[in-house]
Amino acid sequence: MPLHTPFLDLLDALATIYEAEPDPQGPYTAQTLRVTPSPVAFDRQPPCLLDTGIRSVLESSPHPAARATLAAQDVLPWGSNPVEDNTEASIAAMISVATLMGPEGPIPAPDVRLGLVYMRPDCYYPLHIHDADETYVILAGQALWTAGDDVRMRGAGDMVHHPSLMPHAFRTGSEGFVALWRWSGDINLHSYAFIEDVATDLQA
């Protein structure tokens, strides 16, 4: 069964973003995405629990990749965070992740991970670290973003790079956000860990 055209358009839009990243792993990830065929068809999916919020924030954004994501929304595999086992249930409930490429698929790649993440409005995702080198690109919405010592509002079009083991966190406003993310380097999942008092910050 052929892939849906909106999905192919989305992959092209996401690859175009990372082709322009200064870090060489960005263009490498883009090239991997462009040349790796998917062994599965991305068929229509039942709406995820956070579908309404995802659509709402995407509709508010003029970013080309946000428009492409919205057009492909019906076939995106939104679900749980791949590192959900390393997080508390209250934190896991804040987000939904559509993993598109990685060692476990659905588009196979042994040395990079790539996907989309949605975070609900008015939530705080505490400081955390992981071995992987990571670059986020905000597609829709905004958040107060902490990346090491750099704390500022980030919105659609902003690219944020987290070198390996850099502490990072995000606090959303009234819209939440949708972002594109990629991992490279040591992309293991077991190193993902929170480094602040989660219970205290959830009450802040």
Side-chain angles (χ1 to χ4, degrees), residues 41-111:
F42 284 76
D43 294 321
R44 189 178 183 89
Q45 302 285 322
C48 73
L49 292 176
L50 302 180
D51 181 73
T52 299
I54 295 170
R55 290 179 183 275
S56 177
V57 70
L58 287 171
E59 288 169 354
S60 73
S61 175
H63 195 289
R67 312 310 299 172
T69 303
L70 186 60
Q73 175 69 1
D74 288 341
V75 301
L76 294 179
W78 290 101
S80 61
N81 191 340
V83 294
E84 188 170 287
D85 290 345
N86 301 42
T87 66
E88 294 187 4
S90 57
I91 297 175
M94 296 177 187
I95 68 172
S96 185
V97 176
T99 300
L100 301 177
M101 185 169 68
E104 301 84 18
I107 300 173
D111 55 354

Side-chain angles (χ1 to χ4, degrees), residues 44-201:
R44 189 178 183 89
Q45 302 285 322
C48 73
L49 292 176
L50 302 180
D51 181 73
T52 299
I54 295 170
R55 290 179 183 275
S56 177
V57 70
L58 287 171
E59 288 169 354
S60 73
S61 175
H63 195 289
R67 312 310 299 172
T69 303
L70 186 60
Q73 175 69 1
D74 288 341
V75 301
L76 294 179
W78 290 101
S80 61
N81 191 340
V83 294
E84 188 170 287
D85 290 345
N86 301 42
T87 66
E88 294 187 4
S90 57
I91 297 175
M94 296 177 187
I95 68 172
S96 185
V97 176
T99 300
L100 301 177
M101 185 169 68
E104 301 84 18
I107 300 173
D111 55 354
V112 295
R113 298 181 188 272
L114 177 142
L116 298 160
V117 59
Y118 166 72
M119 186 166 165
R120 297 169 66 175
D122 302 312
C123 289
Y124 177 62
Y125 198 93
L127 281 169
H128 57 286
I129 59 173
H130 43 70
D131 289 339
D133 178 279
E134 177 178 59
T135 299
Y136 271 92
V137 180
I138 314 301
L139 303 184
Q142 61 180 359
L144 181 63
W145 207 279
T146 299
D149 295 329
D150 184 359
V151 182
R152 67 177 108 163
M153 291 300 298
R154 302 281 190 170
D158 284 341
M159 181 176 285
V160 190
H161 182 66
H162 307 140
S164 174
L165 299 177
M166 172 183 276
H168 51 287
F170 359 95
R171 186 183 299 273
T172 55
S174 60
E175 290 185 296
F177 71 76
V178 171
L180 169 65
W181 56 270
R182 68 153 189 85
W183 276 18
S184 61
D186 187 347
I187 61 171
N188 76 78
L189 300 178
H190 60 77
S191 64
Y192 195 101
F194 291 96
I195 57 171
E196 64 180 312
D197 187 338
V198 174
T200 298
D201 284 289

